[in-house]
Amino acid sequence: MFIRDGVFTSESVSEGHPDKLADRISDAIVDAFLARDSAARVACETLLADQHVVVAGEFRTAREEDFAAVRANAVDIACDVIRRTGYTDAESGIDPDRCSVEVRFNRQAGEISAAVAGAKGAQGAGDQGLMFGYACDETGVLMPAPIVYAHRLMQRQAEVRRSGALPWLRPDAKSQVSCRYEDGRPVAVEAVVLSTQHDPGIGLEELQVLVRSHIVDPVIPANVRGAGYRDYINPSGSFVTGGPKGDTGLTGRKIIVDTYGGAAPHGGGAFSGKDPSKVDRSAAYMARFLAKTVVARGWAGKCLVQLAYAIGEAEPVSFLVMTPAAGRSRDAEIAAALGAEFDLTPAGIIARLQLLRPIYFDTAAYGHFGREMPDFLWEHAATNH
């Protein structure tokens, strides 16, 4: 469960990867609902295939006009996300002005709505489920090094694409970073894989040279590379056809990219497309907050937190804290201290992390964790006790 020795690998994908594009559209829909009704219930899925987009889900708002307004704007929301991501026409991956967008919005089931609303006197969890949070002192943002590097490569790809430094880059890309660990610490980057979509006409050799100098080298400098370091840039060769034209995209298929790059367990539930009454999202954010708080306070160098809930129930059915070498009694003490300090009910989590705001579009690329943005309060560890 905690990385000891050997080489460990994590991956990331760009905001233009078709699965991430689906996540971004779904979270843009979440934000649109929350901007009109902070108590809206949203479960949105997006499917992209070539020039066709399907946006579907179950929703509840206090006012019918809010539901109707978002449904009426859903086509524009989806096309705007596609355009902002960098797709311009069918040849590049998907045409935001000519693609077909199918909208299928249903109402949230009455039984679920009643359970979440708090028939037992307090807001209940929107579903059963188990969630994990993780933090470690490998990096300044208390995240595992491989996933941090992998995300930074994708962020850098977007930067040089948007700036025009490499104007032939297209939005779809993937990265992979392998780090060598010794005694539980990352000591060197051993390998990088980076595949990026591009315009036709640029040769593979030129692409590899320019991607290496503009993207890989600034993120993976020589002083962090192992003696046998190697990189693989577009190892399959040409990558012109990408985005939804090259592969189907679906909300929730990049949950390991969204979290810890495989360095910690994942509960199984995706985040994107869900309002914070869904503990798949809110409790996973709280678990990260708790784990990061443990590490930030110096209680442990690594921490894994698990929370679990039953639908309609407010209190978690279980709460577990694990640290590498503290022992069961110390882990139990940490859990007891956190449980006494923080409200772990859905309502308590939502209030603590201020989750009833339209902040979710920005979470849907480059990871939900490890980015200390002002609105990401789950990343603002409670250092004082």
Side-chain angles (χ1 to χ4, degrees), residues 1 51 61 65 71 76 78 110 140 161 167 244-245 248-249 261-262 266 336 348:
M1 193 168 292
Q51 303 306 300
T61 55
E65 55 262 42
R71 182 174 58 185
D76 288 341
R161 173 173 60 86
K245 186 177 180 67
T248 303
H266 191 290

Side-chain angles (χ1 to χ4, degrees), residues 128-206:
Q128 71 175 50
L130 52 112
M131 303 83 208
F132 289 96
Y134 181 68
C136 60
D137 59 4
E138 296 177 17
T139 60
V141 293
L142 305 187
M143 287 284 286
I147 190 64
V148 169
Y149 283 126
H151 285 322
R152 287 177 181 170
L153 287 169
M154 291 294 87
Q155 290 170 308
R156 179 67 180 168
Q157 191 267 1
E159 288 170 9
V160 298
R161 173 173 60 86
R162 294 182 188 281
S163 72
L166 299 181
W168 39 265
L169 286 176
R170 287 181 172 178
D172 196 355
K174 299 179 76 171
S175 65
Q176 192 169 279
V177 176
S178 303
C179 289
R180 178 169 296 281
Y181 281 73
E182 295 177 1
D183 296 325
R185 306 293 302 179
V187 297
V189 175
E190 296 290 344
V192 167
V193 182
L194 196 152
S195 296
T196 182
Q197 186 191 13
H198 58 86
D199 289 343
I202 184 166
L204 179 60
E205 204 170 305
E206 181 185 7

